[in-house]
């Protein structure tokens, strides 16, 4: 039985199209160039931010975030950035009595933006607010603190095996690998994805899982 479902953010709830396009524009490179580099580092199992480091060796990402905010070109998140199944799936889970938590590797600013969307979630938290990021075990300890359910009755949903499925399972949580975005599709049939308790193509699949 699942009491709490915890969601990753990027390419689970939100599309990353705008995120990477904004970085390409900020760095003054064609969008398709950065997109191709993101795909390359993903295929190599590397941090997606390495795509930016390939374009600008030695780049200080924290400083660039500050500079973008100062220039009025900081992070943005709107209703159109959500996948179509997000609101119906989260709402359906809550109607079924399931606690809904959102917790991913995002900045404090994204946490504010997510809360501004008034999503049907009980708690929203980000790694930037916690000061610890996936796949570190402490991140999932924090997840369990706000899940208000035992690990075996808490389900973590994400697209990235190395950041979501493997560390969540190591912390004792149940896991669902979502076939969405570059990571989710690349690893959908691999041994890592098969380590998940469930493999899903839509967040709506969670309604049946939670009802079991």
């Amino acid at each position: 039985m699942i009491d709490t479902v915890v969601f990753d953010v990027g390419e689970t709830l939100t599309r990353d199209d705008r995120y990477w396009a904004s970085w390409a524009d900020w760095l003054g490179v064609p969008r398709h160039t950065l997109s191709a580099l993101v795909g390359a580092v993903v295929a190599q199992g590397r941090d997606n931010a390495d795509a930016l480091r390939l374009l600008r060796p030695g780049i200080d990402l924290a400083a660039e975030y500050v500079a973008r905010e100062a220039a009025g070109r900081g992070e943005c998140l709107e209703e159109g950035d959500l996948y179509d199944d997000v609101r119906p799936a989260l709402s359906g889970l809550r109607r079924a009595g399931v606690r809904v938590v959102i917790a991913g590797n995002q900045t404090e600013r994204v946490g504010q933006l997510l809360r501004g969307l008034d999503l049907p979630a009980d708690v929203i938290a980000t790694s930037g607010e916690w000061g610890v990021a996936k796949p570190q075990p402490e991140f999932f300890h924090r997840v369990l603190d706000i899940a208000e359910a035992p690990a075996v009755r808490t389900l973590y949903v994400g697209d990235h095996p190395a950041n979501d499925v493997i560390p969540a399972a190591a912390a004792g949580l149940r896991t669902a690998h979502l076939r969405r975005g570059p990571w989710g599709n690349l690893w959908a049939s691999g041994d890592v994805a098969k380590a998940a308790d469930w493999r899903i193509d839509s967040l709506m699949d969670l309604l049946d899982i939670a009802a079991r």
Side-chain angles (χ1 to χ4, degrees):
M1 183 175 179
I2 300 299
D3 294 330
T4 300
V5 177
V6 186
F7 292 88
D8 169 48
V9 179
E11 291 303 336
T12 296
L13 302 182
T14 63
R15 296 177 176 85
D16 282 347
D17 310 51
R18 187 213 296 263
Y19 176 81
W20 292 114
S22 68
W23 269 112
D25 295 345
W26 176 254
L27 295 176
V29 300
R31 293 181 176 184
H32 74 86
T33 298
L34 181 53
S35 179
L37 287 174
V38 171
V41 299
V42 167
Q44 295 170 16
R46 295 164 59 182
D47 180 358
N48 54 18
D50 282 348
L52 302 174
R53 298 182 181 103
L54 287 171
L55 284 170
R56 296 287 185 273
I59 188 172
D60 184 336
L61 292 178
E64 293 295 328
Y65 271 110
V66 172
R68 288 184 58 181
E69 288 290 344
R73 297 171 64 181
E75 293 176 293
C76 181
L77 193 60
E78 299 175 351
E79 186 70 23
D81 295 311
L82 297 174
Y83 278 99
D84 292 341
D85 57 0
V86 171
R87 287 192 181 276
L90 272 60
S91 295
L93 288 169
R94 293 187 83 187
R95 284 195 300 270
V98 176
R99 182 173 173 81
V100 173
V101 174
I102 297 172
N105 276 357
Q106 270 73 36
T107 63
E108 292 184 49
R109 174 61 177 157
V110 170
Q112 296 168 358
L113 293 170
L114 284 168
R115 284 185 279 273
L117 291 176
D118 194 26
L119 291 166
D122 296 285
V123 182
I124 297 174
T126 68
S127 59
E129 294 167 333
W130 283 347
V132 62
K134 296 182 293 185
Q136 297 177 52
E138 178 58 27
F139 180 93
F140 293 95
H141 296 163
R142 293 289 191 94
V143 165
L144 287 172
D145 286 342
I146 61 175
E148 297 186 1
V152 295
R153 295 173 68 165
T154 300
L155 174 63
Y156 194 88
V157 183
D159 63 302
H160 198 302
N163 277 354
D164 300 325
V165 173
I166 294 176
L173 286 75
R174 309 298 297 277
T175 59
H177 179 258
L178 175 63
R179 184 171 181 168
R180 175 174 286 173
W183 297 270
N185 281 287
L186 179 63
W187 304 108
S189 59
D191 291 339
V192 178
K194 291 178 181 177
D197 294 296
W198 292 279
R199 294 183 295 283
I200 61 176
D201 294 313
S202 166
L203 297 182
M204 296 301 290
D205 295 339
L206 296 168
L207 300 182
D208 287 336
I209 292 172
R212 294 176 185 174

